Amino acid sequence: MKHNYIKIFALLVCSFMVGVSSFAQKKNVIDQVAWIVGDEPILLSDIEKQRIYYEAEGQKFDLNARCVISERLAIQKLFLNQAKIDSIQPNELAISQEVNSRIEKAIKDIGSVENLESYLGKSVSQFREELRKIMREEFTVQQVQHKLVADIKLSPSEVTRFYNEIEKDSLPFVPTTVETQIITVAPKISPKEIDDIKARLRDFSNEISAGTKSFSTLARLYSQDNATALSGGDMGFVSKAELEPEFAHVAFGLGNNTKVSRIVKTAKGYHIMQLIEKRGDRINLRHIMLKPEVSDENIQKAQAQLDSIVGLIRADSVSFEVAANYVSHDEDTRNSNGQMVNLYASGASPLYGTSKFEMGHLPQEIAAKVVNLREGEISAPFIMKDKNNNTVVAVVKLKRRIDGHRANITEDYQTVKEIVLNKKRAEVIDKWIKQKQKETFVKISPEYQQCQFNYPGWIKR
């Protein structure tokens, strides 16, 4: 069980290990400075935290682990120092999404918010703020790197020359990919159901105002926002940009932390909220979200509607593309003929932002239908959850399937281009690090001066 917890923790933190402080104290290394890069210290405890993380992940090092890790941290400091110079600010919305995703998965894996808090030795709310700081650093480093390589240009002839010269067996194997189109219909929600949801939220508000129940208790018991319910609805510190406009308008209008907001409707559901603290242009608040239930009758009506549309498409009375434009409720695809765009792959994947999906990138409900379709076929209507976790009825069309194969320039131009781009990016970053080593003050404690670094320029003779 202990090993499983370490793996869960490694998933959460990536470059940070909270439980290491006691370890560092036992080893008498906490707060001792191993490096100084610019005006930023690297503590021995920082290196230990990283080492324990990599150990939990099963990563092996050819050289001394502490030497490798300390150099990685030093390189990170170079990027963070450049961010200060260039006034680079990370995307706060993306940070919040990443933090919430990691915490939600950790709670799911470890069993409960209580188990996680017991293991961390602190509340999920406290850890959320710590993790946010760490993610902000990681996102900042990524943005500095992106800026450094943003102007790299690549002509088609360069890609072709690379492809012609490289050993074809060294090119990556490209898994089977598909291109899909979708039409969704959101079943109607009865006015009575909406009234009932609002009545429940008003009851919660009255209980909180009367002092008979706390906001956090009601959030844990009833909120349907899985990312925050188990932490009492606590969202952590957020900026306006991280919130839906209608939610942000009410949240940033809250004047004190004793009152409960009016009911707010967003694409995800109905909310009440309570201010915890304001800090500059960021606020910390807790909220309760309830989602109206869709009746079986209205789901059946939506299925019947899509059945009729599929019948018209199969009879060639209307094209899938026209039906998507006029009927689909999916705001992301209805104006592009129902064409799905891959936002599920890693941002580093050459498929991200394209129309191609590996089967594992597709939402499960869609993948289960697409796997059995031939090119040009349309599925029967099925029930799924949309990006806001709302129940919708959908049909999908398999536009194209490309079987797994060794990358080639005809089918996988973008993949081959990305290989060449990554090579150029690595060269630019490598050159930048070497130059920054010369320009930046670096002091290394004697025990690290014997290390064999990947970049030997740290020690100025």
CSV table of all heavy atoms in Angstrom, one decimal, residues 37-57:
chain,number,residue,atom,x,y,z
A,37,VAL,N,22.0,29.9,-8.7
A,37,VAL,CA,22.0,30.2,-10.1
A,37,VAL,C,21.3,31.6,-10.2
A,37,VAL,O,20.1,31.8,-9.9
A,37,VAL,CB,21.1,29.2,-10.9
A,37,VAL,CG1,21.1,29.5,-12.4
A,37,VAL,CG2,21.7,27.8,-10.7
A,38,GLY,N,22.1,32.6,-10.6
A,38,GLY,CA,21.6,34.0,-10.6
A,38,GLY,C,21.4,34.4,-9.2
A,38,GLY,O,22.4,34.3,-8.4
A,39,ASP,N,20.2,34.7,-8.8
A,39,ASP,CA,19.9,35.0,-7.3
A,39,ASP,C,19.0,33.9,-6.7
A,39,ASP,O,18.4,34.1,-5.7
A,39,ASP,CB,19.3,36.4,-7.2
A,39,ASP,CG,18.0,36.5,-8.0
A,39,ASP,OD1,17.6,35.5,-8.7
A,39,ASP,OD2,17.4,37.6,-7.9
A,40,GLU,N,18.9,32.8,-7.4
A,40,GLU,CA,18.0,31.7,-6.9
A,40,GLU,C,18.8,30.5,-6.4
A,40,GLU,O,19.7,30.0,-7.1
A,40,GLU,CB,17.2,31.2,-8.1
A,40,GLU,CG,16.1,32.2,-8.6
A,40,GLU,CD,15.0,32.3,-7.6
A,40,GLU,OE1,14.7,31.4,-6.9
A,40,GLU,OE2,14.4,33.4,-7.5
A,41,PRO,N,18.6,30.1,-5.1
A,41,PRO,CA,19.3,29.0,-4.6
A,41,PRO,C,18.6,27.7,-4.9
A,41,PRO,O,17.4,27.6,-5.2
A,41,PRO,CB,19.1,29.2,-3.0
A,41,PRO,CG,17.8,29.9,-2.9
A,41,PRO,CD,17.7,30.8,-4.1
A,42,ILE,N,19.4,26.6,-5.0
A,42,ILE,CA,18.9,25.2,-5.1
A,42,ILE,C,19.3,24.5,-3.8
A,42,ILE,O,20.5,24.4,-3.5
A,42,ILE,CB,19.5,24.5,-6.3
A,42,ILE,CG1,19.1,25.2,-7.6
A,42,ILE,CG2,19.0,23.1,-6.3
A,42,ILE,CD1,19.7,24.6,-8.8
A,43,LEU,N,18.3,24.1,-3.0
A,43,LEU,CA,18.6,23.5,-1.7
A,43,LEU,C,18.9,22.0,-1.9
A,43,LEU,O,18.4,21.4,-2.8
A,43,LEU,CB,17.5,23.7,-0.8
A,43,LEU,CG,17.1,25.2,-0.5
A,43,LEU,CD1,15.9,25.2,0.5
A,43,LEU,CD2,18.2,26.0,0.0
A,44,LEU,N,19.6,21.5,-1.0
A,44,LEU,CA,19.8,20.0,-1.0
A,44,LEU,C,18.5,19.3,-0.8
A,44,LEU,O,18.3,18.2,-1.4
A,44,LEU,CB,20.8,19.6,0.1
A,44,LEU,CG,22.2,20.1,0.0
A,44,LEU,CD1,23.1,19.6,1.2
A,44,LEU,CD2,22.9,19.6,-1.3
A,45,SER,N,17.6,19.9,-0.1
A,45,SER,CA,16.3,19.3,0.1
A,45,SER,C,15.5,19.3,-1.2
A,45,SER,O,14.7,18.4,-1.5
A,45,SER,CB,15.5,20.0,1.2
A,45,SER,OG,15.3,21.4,0.9
A,46,ASP,N,15.7,20.3,-2.1
A,46,ASP,CA,15.0,20.3,-3.4
A,46,ASP,C,15.5,19.1,-4.2
A,46,ASP,O,14.7,18.5,-4.9
A,46,ASP,CB,15.4,21.6,-4.2
A,46,ASP,CG,14.8,22.8,-3.5
A,46,ASP,OD1,13.8,22.7,-2.8
A,46,ASP,OD2,15.5,23.9,-3.6
A,47,ILE,N,16.8,18.9,-4.1
A,47,ILE,CA,17.4,17.7,-4.9
A,47,ILE,C,16.9,16.4,-4.4
A,47,ILE,O,16.5,15.5,-5.2
A,47,ILE,CB,18.9,17.8,-4.9
A,47,ILE,CG1,19.4,19.1,-5.5
A,47,ILE,CG2,19.6,16.6,-5.5
A,47,ILE,CD1,20.9,19.4,-5.2
A,48,GLU,N,16.8,16.3,-3.1
A,48,GLU,CA,16.2,15.1,-2.5
A,48,GLU,C,14.8,14.8,-2.9
A,48,GLU,O,14.4,13.7,-3.1
A,48,GLU,CB,16.3,15.1,-0.9
A,48,GLU,CG,17.8,14.9,-0.4
A,48,GLU,CD,18.3,13.6,-0.9
A,48,GLU,OE1,17.6,12.5,-0.7
A,48,GLU,OE2,19.4,13.5,-1.4
A,49,LYS,N,14.0,15.9,-2.9
A,49,LYS,CA,12.6,15.8,-3.3
A,49,LYS,C,12.5,15.2,-4.7
A,49,LYS,O,11.7,14.3,-5.0
A,49,LYS,CB,11.9,17.1,-3.3
A,49,LYS,CG,11.7,17.7,-1.9
A,49,LYS,CD,11.3,19.1,-1.9
A,49,LYS,CE,11.2,19.8,-0.6
A,49,LYS,NZ,10.9,21.2,-0.6
A,50,GLN,N,13.3,15.7,-5.6
A,50,GLN,CA,13.3,15.2,-7.0
A,50,GLN,C,13.8,13.8,-7.1
A,50,GLN,O,13.2,13.0,-7.8
A,50,GLN,CB,14.3,16.1,-7.8
A,50,GLN,CG,13.7,17.5,-8.1
A,50,GLN,CD,12.8,17.5,-9.4
A,50,GLN,OE1,12.5,16.5,-9.9
A,50,GLN,NE2,12.4,18.7,-9.8
A,51,ARG,N,14.8,13.5,-6.3
A,51,ARG,CA,15.4,12.1,-6.3
A,51,ARG,C,14.3,11.1,-5.9
A,51,ARG,O,14.1,10.0,-6.5
A,51,ARG,CB,16.6,12.0,-5.4
A,51,ARG,CG,17.3,10.7,-5.5
A,51,ARG,CD,18.4,10.5,-4.5
A,51,ARG,NE,17.9,10.6,-3.1
A,51,ARG,CZ,17.3,9.6,-2.5
A,51,ARG,NH1,17.2,8.4,-3.2
A,51,ARG,NH2,16.9,9.7,-1.3
A,52,ILE,N,13.6,11.4,-4.8
A,52,ILE,CA,12.5,10.5,-4.3
A,52,ILE,C,11.4,10.4,-5.3
A,52,ILE,O,10.9,9.3,-5.5
A,52,ILE,CB,12.0,11.0,-3.0
A,52,ILE,CG1,13.1,10.9,-1.9
A,52,ILE,CG2,10.8,10.2,-2.5
A,52,ILE,CD1,12.7,11.5,-0.6
A,53,TYR,N,11.1,11.5,-6.0
A,53,TYR,CA,10.1,11.4,-7.1
A,53,TYR,C,10.5,10.4,-8.2
A,53,TYR,O,9.8,9.5,-8.6
A,53,TYR,CB,9.8,12.8,-7.6
A,53,TYR,CG,9.1,12.7,-9.0
A,53,TYR,CD1,7.8,12.2,-9.1
A,53,TYR,CD2,9.8,13.0,-10.2
A,53,TYR,CE1,7.2,12.1,-10.3
A,53,TYR,CE2,9.2,12.8,-11.4
A,53,TYR,CZ,7.9,12.4,-11.4
A,53,TYR,OH,7.3,12.3,-12.7
A,54,TYR,N,11.7,10.6,-8.7
A,54,TYR,CA,12.2,9.8,-9.8
A,54,TYR,C,12.3,8.3,-9.3
A,54,TYR,O,12.1,7.4,-10.1
A,54,TYR,CB,13.5,10.3,-10.3
A,54,TYR,CG,13.5,11.5,-11.1
A,54,TYR,CD1,14.2,12.7,-10.7
A,54,TYR,CD2,12.6,11.6,-12.2
A,54,TYR,CE1,14.1,13.8,-11.4
A,54,TYR,CE2,12.5,12.8,-12.9
A,54,TYR,CZ,13.3,13.9,-12.5
A,54,TYR,OH,13.2,15.1,-13.2
A,55,GLU,N,12.7,8.1,-8.0
A,55,GLU,CA,12.8,6.8,-7.5
A,55,GLU,C,11.4,6.1,-7.5
A,55,GLU,O,11.3,4.9,-7.8
A,55,GLU,CB,13.4,6.9,-6.1
A,55,GLU,CG,13.7,5.5,-5.5
A,55,GLU,CD,14.4,5.7,-4.1
A,55,GLU,OE1,15.6,5.9,-4.0
A,55,GLU,OE2,13.6,5.7,-3.1
A,56,ALA,N,10.4,6.9,-7.1
A,56,ALA,CA,9.0,6.4,-7.1
A,56,ALA,C,8.6,6.0,-8.5
A,56,ALA,O,7.8,5.0,-8.7
A,56,ALA,CB,8.1,7.4,-6.5
A,57,GLU,N,9.0,6.7,-9.5
A,57,GLU,CA,8.7,6.5,-10.9
A,57,GLU,C,9.5,5.3,-11.5
A,57,GLU,O,9.2,4.9,-12.6
A,57,GLU,CB,8.9,7.7,-11.7
A,57,GLU,CG,7.8,8.8,-11.4
A,57,GLU,CD,6.4,8.4,-12.0
A,57,GLU,OE1,6.2,8.6,-13.2
A,57,GLU,OE2,5.6,7.8,-11.2
